[in-house]
């Protein structure tokens, strides 16, 4: 066990987090607050004119974080343009395409010959930002979460929670939980803790579960509050402290995402969402094979929506590898057949 | 409404008397005082007797505090939600236009306030053309007024259901206007007075608010959107000075509340959070007071005037011209009463 642990620590962990939601909900600020980074320093904010013709993009930022000898390769996938247009029909498509591409890449890698250094770029968690201004889920929220529930761990958050009073937050959370239930949306569920865990851990676990969806606030600025320097937001009427559990659920989110459930998120991604994808693929392939009765490549070729040159070259290389493998297989089958005769 | 230009003869106090405790014993009579300025008092008394109408439309996505802001502005439960106590807020599948009228009285002055709500605006996944039902409603009110005006046997006081002011609620993203905001304001500013506000502004720090406002003003300019008070309708230098100050401050960042809290021994309208209480009428906290002053205390009459003398007149001219195929003035009898001006 210890050897395994040491090896993993040496190798480091990787984690891919996606953030989705309309512009101006504090996604970038929250990510920076969570990981104490400044990933979006020089980003350009588009004005309304430019946004009219903007489509939903997928952007990636990778950062290596090290803390107490443990290395984490963190990838943040952002979805600028989501939900910003006048007509947002199918604005989720670039997002699902991206998630599928990562699954497909992993599928190919897993089925390939050299599996020693497979990179896991699959999206392990998607933080979905719900505006605090509404009365509950909006049509775009319901559609997005329903489409993504089977592809990634969806963790809905209440964004910019400092515009809500404590009673408003309570009501809003209840409303959201009700609607998520009613619409049958499968969001990420915290696993139940083992019965042999200590009472403190169980209590913490209970509190975590009861405060979902988390109401979050982010900040990259340090302010002076109660004689201490804390991360917060300075208003004329008071100071919001990001890490104060009485002010918002930021700490709970950080605990859940990084400190206690990161591994579970990866596991569920691997055991559920990826398996769903893989099963679907193989099914599609099998039905195609039955239809054609031809020997097809064991790796499915799904249509990629926007393959860039780099990806295309990678695909070509993999295809070559597979063709060689296929030839080898055929030769082996031939030999076996001859032996049987 | 009468528009009088009252020439100032020279400043003369009204006739004195023992009631005023003045030192003069004999009454002072000034031969150069005619008393024309007394007409203001007559107008005031008549206005108080008649009362007046104000029609405000509120437009914005669900949950931006439109109803609460109306209740805060008029310190009474005037919004649709307060009147129709529906259990849960459901987003309608299409945009609805709902009007609720109330009679409000203050110090003997009566006002018939109509709040026009537009639930469903901007809430769908596809919001293309969501401005159309609103545009149609506004034009319909102009049409109703026009029809009454051109009637042979018309009412002494035409009931005024025209939208005097449309408050547009911008979500406090802190970045810039969204395509939907630009689209709506660009079209509607041509037919109605638009007053944009930053809704739920208690989520922006003062710096963020200033940056946001600047971006918005830039974008309004860049898109040729003229919001109230429009530059081209400034009547004189005095107007221009006052309005320029307002134009440098809009959109007002507002916070609404219909709940009172005890702050420093006083009961104030506000929002109580764990880190402090936001006082709605405190200008150090938000700009609600500026909005209230603009809409009610200083520019209410001006808003109505611009609606009737400019927006309505433009509608009327277009409408009469579209029926005019041969050129020249036509008799109102030829006006087709069943068609409203086509939406452009």
């Amino acid at each position: 066990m210890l050897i395994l642990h040491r090896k993993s620590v040496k190798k480091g962990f990787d984690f891919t987090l996606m953030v989705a939601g309309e512009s101006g909900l504090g996604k970038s600020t929250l990510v920076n607050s969570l990981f104490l980074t400044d990933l979006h320093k020089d980003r350009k904010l588009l004005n309304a004119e430019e946004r009219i013709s903007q489509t939903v993009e997928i952007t990636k930022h990778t950062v290596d974080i090290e803390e107490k000898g443990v290395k984490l390769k963190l990838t943040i996938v952002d979805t600028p343009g989501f939900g910003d247009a006048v007509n947002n029909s199918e604005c989720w498509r670039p997002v699902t395409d991206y998630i599928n591409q990562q699954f497909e890449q992993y599928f190919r890698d897993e089925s390939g010959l050299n599996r020693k250094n497979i990179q896991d770029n699959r999206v392990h968690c998607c933080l979905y930002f719900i505006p605090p201004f509404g009365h509950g889920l909006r049509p775009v929220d319901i559609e997005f979460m329903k489409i993504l529930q089977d592809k990634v761990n969806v963790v809905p958050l209440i964004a910019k929670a400092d515009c809500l009073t404590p009673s408003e937050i309570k009501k809003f959370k209840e409303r959201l939980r009700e609607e998520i239930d009613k619409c049958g949306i499968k969001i990420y569920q915290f696993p139940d803790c083992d019965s042999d865990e200590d009472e403190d851990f169980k209590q913490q676990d209970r509190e975590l579960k009861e405060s979902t969806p988390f109401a979050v606030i982010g900040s990259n600025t340090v302010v002076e509050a109660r004689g201490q320097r804390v991360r917060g937001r300075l208003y004329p009427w008071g100071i919001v402290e990001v890490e104060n559990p009485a002010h918002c659920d930021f700490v709970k989110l950080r605990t859940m995402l990084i400190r206690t459930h990161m591994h579970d998120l990866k596991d569920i991604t691997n055991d559920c969402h990826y398996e769903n994808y893989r099963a679907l693929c193989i099914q599609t392939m099998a039905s195609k094979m039955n239809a054609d009765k031809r020997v097809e490549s064991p790796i499915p070729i799904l249509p990629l929506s926007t393959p860039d040159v780099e990806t295309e070259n990678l695909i070509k290389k993999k295809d070559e590898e597979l063709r060689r493998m296929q030839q080898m297989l055929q030769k082996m089958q031939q030999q076996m057949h001859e032996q049987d005769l | 409404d009468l528009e009088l230009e009252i020439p100032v003869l020279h400043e003369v106090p009204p006739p004195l008397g023992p009631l005023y405790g003045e030192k003069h014993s004999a009454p002072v009579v000034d031969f150069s005082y005619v008393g024309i300025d007394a007409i203001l008092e007559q107008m005031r008394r008549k206005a108080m007797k008649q009362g007046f109408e104000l029609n405000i439309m509120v437009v914005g996505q669900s949950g931006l505090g439109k109803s609460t802001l109306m209740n805060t502005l008029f310190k009474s439960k005037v919004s649709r939600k307060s009147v129709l106590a529906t259990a849960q807020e459901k987003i309608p599948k299409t945009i609805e236009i709902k009007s609720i009228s109330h009679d409000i009285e203050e110090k003997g002055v009566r006002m018939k306030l109509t709040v026009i709500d537009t639930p469903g605006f901007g809430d769908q996944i596809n919001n293309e053309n969501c401005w159309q039902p609103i545009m149609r409603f506004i034009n319909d009110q102009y049409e109703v007024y026009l029809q009454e005006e051109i009637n042979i046997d018309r009412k002494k006081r035409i009931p005024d259901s025209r939208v005097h002011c449309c408050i547009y609620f911008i979500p406090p993203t802190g970045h810039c206007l969204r395509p939907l905001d630009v689209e709506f304001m660009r079209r509607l500013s041509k037919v109605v007075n638009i007053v944009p506000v930053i809704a739920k502004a208690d989520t922006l720090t003062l710096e963020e608010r200033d940056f946001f406002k600047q971006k918005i003003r830039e974008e309004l300019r860049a898109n040729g959107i003229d919001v109230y008070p429009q530059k081209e309708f400034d009547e004189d230098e005095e107007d221009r000075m006052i309005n320029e100050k307002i134009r440098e401050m809009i959109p007002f960042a507002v916070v609404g509340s219909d709940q009172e809290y005890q702050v420093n021994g006083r009961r104030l309208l506000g929002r109580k959070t764990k880190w402090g209480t936001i006082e709605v009428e405190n200008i150090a906290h938000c700009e609600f007071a500026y909005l209230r002053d603009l809409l009610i205390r200083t520019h209410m009459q001006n808003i109505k005037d611009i609606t009737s003398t400019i927006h309505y007149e433009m509608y009327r001219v277009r409408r009469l011209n579209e029926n005019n195929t041969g050129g020249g003035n036509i008799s109102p009898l030829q006006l087709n009463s069943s068609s409203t001006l086509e939406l452009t």
Side-chain angles (χ1 to χ4, degrees):
Chain A
M1 237 0 225
L2 208 60
I3 299 170
L4 192 69
H5 182 71
R6 234 187 286 143
K7 260 200 178 156
S8 314
V9 171
K10 238 180 110 178
K11 187 171 150 207
F13 302 90
D14 46 29
F15 190 71
T16 301
L17 177 70
M18 177 181 267
V19 288
E22 293 169 359
S23 291
L25 289 180
K27 303 187 293 292
S28 311
T29 309
L30 186 76
V31 166
N32 289 342
S33 305
L34 275 172
F35 298 100
L36 297 176
T37 56
D38 197 0
L39 293 175
H40 303 83
K41 232 188 318 232
D42 303 307
R43 70 170 173 171
K44 177 175 176 282
L45 292 172
L46 302 180
N47 63 29
E49 192 84 41
E50 291 166 332
R51 281 192 195 176
I52 287 173
S53 45
Q54 188 199 25
T55 50
V56 180
E57 269 180 66
I58 305 285
T59 61
K60 257 170 53 168
H61 295 275
T62 305
V63 66
D64 288 311
I65 305 175
E66 180 167 342
E67 213 178 62
K68 296 194 182 157
V70 180
K71 288 199 278 278
L72 174 71
K73 177 164 153 278
L74 173 73
T75 305
I76 306 287
V77 179
D78 200 351
T79 56
F82 176 87
D84 286 339
V86 177
N87 182 356
N88 293 307
S89 309
E90 307 224 334
C91 63
W92 43 263
R93 199 172 280 284
V95 176
T96 52
D97 283 345
Y98 179 82
I99 294 176
N100 284 338
Q101 277 167 30
Q102 307 315 306
F103 280 155
E104 184 182 340
Q105 186 60 58
Y106 195 82
F107 192 12
R108 285 170 186 267
D109 288 348
E110 202 184 44
S111 320
L113 296 177
N114 187 353
R115 307 206 295 183
K116 225 191 285 189
N117 292 315
I118 299 182
Q119 272 207 340
D120 187 3
N121 292 321
R122 299 172 295 184
V123 180
H124 300 118
C125 177
C126 175
L127 297 178
Y128 183 67
F129 288 68
I130 298 174
F133 320 123
H135 297 289
L137 291 178
R138 305 163 301 160
V140 69
D141 301 327
I142 298 174
E143 194 182 76
F144 183 80
M145 288 200 283
K146 284 200 89 138
I147 287 177
L148 256 73
Q149 66 190 6
D150 291 318
K151 301 199 197 310
V152 70
N153 295 315
V154 176
V155 175
L157 300 174
I158 301 172
K160 291 198 167 179
D162 55 353
C163 92
L164 296 170
T165 63
S167 63
E168 287 169 349
I169 290 187
K170 188 162 168 282
K171 227 180 1 175
F172 197 51
K173 283 189 185 183
E174 275 169 16
R175 185 72 187 271
L176 288 179
R177 280 200 291 262
E178 241 178 67
E179 291 184 352
I180 287 174
D181 226 5
K182 201 167 73 163
C183 298
I185 300 173
K186 293 180 264 170
I187 55 174
Y188 173 71
Q189 298 294 335
F190 295 106
D192 291 322
C193 50
D194 299 325
S195 49
D196 56 355
E197 294 283 358
D198 63 57
E199 200 48 49
D200 272 342
F201 190 81
K202 281 197 196 160
Q203 173 70 9
Q204 193 187 53
D205 193 62
R206 243 196 316 268
E207 281 176 11
L208 217 62
K209 289 198 179 131
E210 283 165 11
S211 357
T212 54
F214 294 137
V216 293
I217 302 167
S219 169
N220 285 333
T221 48
V222 177
V223 294
E224 183 96 23
R226 297 178 287 134
Q228 285 183 311
R229 286 178 69 74
V230 291
R231 279 193 297 141
R233 291 173 61 72
L234 177 63
Y235 290 113
W237 48 85
I239 300 176
V240 178
E241 299 162 49
V242 168
E243 284 167 308
N244 184 339
H247 287 189
C248 72
D249 298 327
F250 174 81
V251 172
K252 291 201 178 85
L253 175 69
R254 183 179 59 192
T255 303
M256 185 279 271
L257 198 62
I258 304 172
R259 297 181 191 177
T260 53
H261 290 75
M262 189 181 265
H263 200 70
D264 186 58
L265 286 164
K266 292 181 70 170
D267 276 348
I268 305 271
T269 305
N270 188 55
D271 301 339
C272 286
H273 302 297
Y274 173 66
E275 287 304 312
N276 281 344
Y277 173 86
R278 195 170 159 277
L280 194 65
C281 262
I282 295 177
Q283 247 179 22
T284 320
M285 233 176 32
S287 58
K288 253 185 109 186
M289 269 172 70
N290 285 335
D292 296 348
K293 299 253 186 251
R294 272 188 283 132
V295 178
E296 297 241 343
S297 152
I299 308 302
I301 318 282
L302 282 185
L304 296 176
S305 58
T306 50
D308 57 350
V309 181
E310 208 190 293
T311 315
E312 283 209 34
N313 284 336
L314 200 65
I315 293 173
K316 277 202 197 106
K317 234 183 23 183
K318 295 281 179 185
D319 274 347
E320 276 309 304
E321 222 181 285
L322 292 164
R323 228 160 298 179
R324 268 179 273 132
M325 187 176 99
Q326 237 187 310
Q327 283 175 351
M328 260 173 54
L329 268 170
Q330 274 188 339
K331 230 192 270 173
M332 275 166 56
Q333 277 179 344
Q334 194 83 1
Q335 288 178 349
M336 276 170 51
H337 186 72
E338 281 167 12
Q339 274 180 11
D340 285 344
L341 288 175
Chain B
D1 278 14
L2 279 160
E3 258 232 291
L4 286 185
E5 194 99 61
I6 300 171
V8 178
L9 300 174
H10 57 257
E11 303 269 352
V12 177
L16 305 170
L19 276 170
Y20 300 88
E22 296 292 10
K23 294 198 186 92
H24 306 279
S25 44
V28 177
V29 175
D30 193 328
F31 285 107
S32 51
Y33 174 65
V34 177
I36 301 175
D37 58 348
I39 191 115
L40 294 175
E41 176 62 26
Q42 297 172 40
M43 282 169 69
R44 195 182 71 84
R45 260 196 243 131
K46 185 156 187 218
M48 274 185 65
K49 259 208 220 142
Q50 275 180 351
F52 57 98
E53 295 155 306
L54 183 65
N55 307 320
I56 301 185
M57 178 183 263
V58 286
V59 179
Q61 284 174 320
S62 160
L64 285 181
K66 305 187 289 292
S67 303
T68 308
L69 189 72
M70 285 296 108
N71 290 349
T72 316
L73 269 174
F74 296 99
K75 296 220 159 120
S76 36
K77 303 238 182 263
V78 294
S79 74
R80 174 182 58 95
K81 288 195 195 161
S82 311
V83 172
L84 318 162
T86 44
Q88 288 228 337
E89 277 310 309
K90 272 196 175 289
I91 294 178
K93 291 260 167 23
T94 53
I95 300 171
E96 301 170 345
I97 312 267
K98 298 212 163 121
S99 296
I100 300 261
S101 297
H102 287 265
D103 284 317
I104 301 180
E105 181 173 332
E106 195 182 55
K107 295 200 182 145
V109 179
R110 280 192 333 253
M111 171 167 81
K112 176 163 169 260
L113 171 72
T114 303
V115 177
I116 303 145
D117 200 351
T118 55
F121 175 85
D123 287 328
Q124 313 309 324
I125 294 177
N126 182 356
N127 293 305
E128 272 173 2
N129 300 327
C130 66
W131 48 267
Q132 270 180 358
I134 297 173
M135 180 86 128
R136 203 172 300 130
F137 178 84
I138 292 175
N139 283 336
D140 281 350
Q141 307 317 305
Y142 290 151
E143 183 65 26
V144 163
Y145 197 90
L146 181 65
Q147 287 304 321
E148 186 57 41
E149 209 181 42
I150 60 179
N151 227 335
I152 299 171
D153 184 14
R154 60 187 184 186
K155 301 199 184 103
K156 189 169 71 160
R157 267 193 78 216
I158 306 176
D160 191 0
S161 68
R162 299 171 297 187
V163 179
H164 299 127
C165 163
C166 171
I167 305 181
Y168 186 74
F169 287 68
I170 299 170
T173 60
H175 291 181
C176 61
L177 290 177
R178 301 163 305 155
L180 178 64
D181 304 328
V182 171
E183 192 60 26
F184 180 85
M185 288 197 274
R186 197 165 55 87
R187 292 175 188 275
L188 276 283
S189 58
K190 301 200 173 98
V191 298
V192 71
N193 295 321
I194 297 210
V195 175
V197 297
I198 298 173
K200 298 209 166 171
D202 52 348
T203 191
L204 297 168
T205 62
L206 295 183
E207 277 171 4
E208 291 166 349
R209 180 209 288 182
D210 287 336
F211 173 78
F212 192 32
K213 281 204 212 186
Q214 211 182 338
K215 275 309 295 247
I216 293 176
R217 283 195 293 265
E218 264 171 40
E219 293 203 295
L220 290 176
R221 253 196 306 271
N223 285 284
I225 301 173
D226 259 328
V227 298
Y228 184 83
Q230 299 92 331
K231 242 196 187 131
E232 52 178 327
F233 306 144
D234 286 339
E235 283 175 21
D236 50 35
E237 194 52 46
E238 191 186 335
D239 254 6
R240 204 186 334 272
M241 255 177 43
I242 297 173
N243 289 345
E244 201 54 44
K245 278 211 196 92
I246 295 171
R247 284 190 280 265
E248 280 164 18
M249 287 181 58
I250 52 168
F252 293 129
V254 296
V255 173
S257 169
D258 43 18
Q259 289 211 313
E260 287 187 337
Y261 291 100
Q262 196 89 353
V263 179
N264 294 333
R266 295 181 299 157
R267 287 196 70 74
L268 299 170
L269 282 175
R271 288 173 60 70
K272 191 160 188 206
T273 62
K274 287 257 163 79
W275 46 87
T277 301
I278 303 154
E279 298 161 40
V280 168
E281 284 170 303
N282 182 343
I283 53 174
H285 288 190
C286 77
E287 296 176 326
F288 168 79
Y290 292 136
L291 178 71
R292 177 202 55 206
D293 288 350
L294 179 79
L295 284 183
I296 304 175
R297 297 183 190 179
T298 58
H299 285 64
M300 189 193 275
Q301 190 54 46
N302 181 247
I303 285 173
K304 293 179 67 176
D305 284 345
I306 298 206
T307 305
S308 66
T309 60
I310 296 178
H311 293 303
Y312 169 68
E313 287 301 312
M314 258 178 26
Y315 177 84
R316 183 174 167 277
V317 163
R318 270 158 57 207
R319 189 76 172 82
L320 295 179
N321 274 337
E322 78 167 4
N323 275 52
N324 187 3
T325 45
N329 285 328
I330 52 153
S331 151
L333 294 171
Q334 289 177 283
L335 199 60
N336 184 355
S337 60
S338 61
S339 78
T340 320
L341 203 56
E342 276 308 304
L343 298 171
T344 43

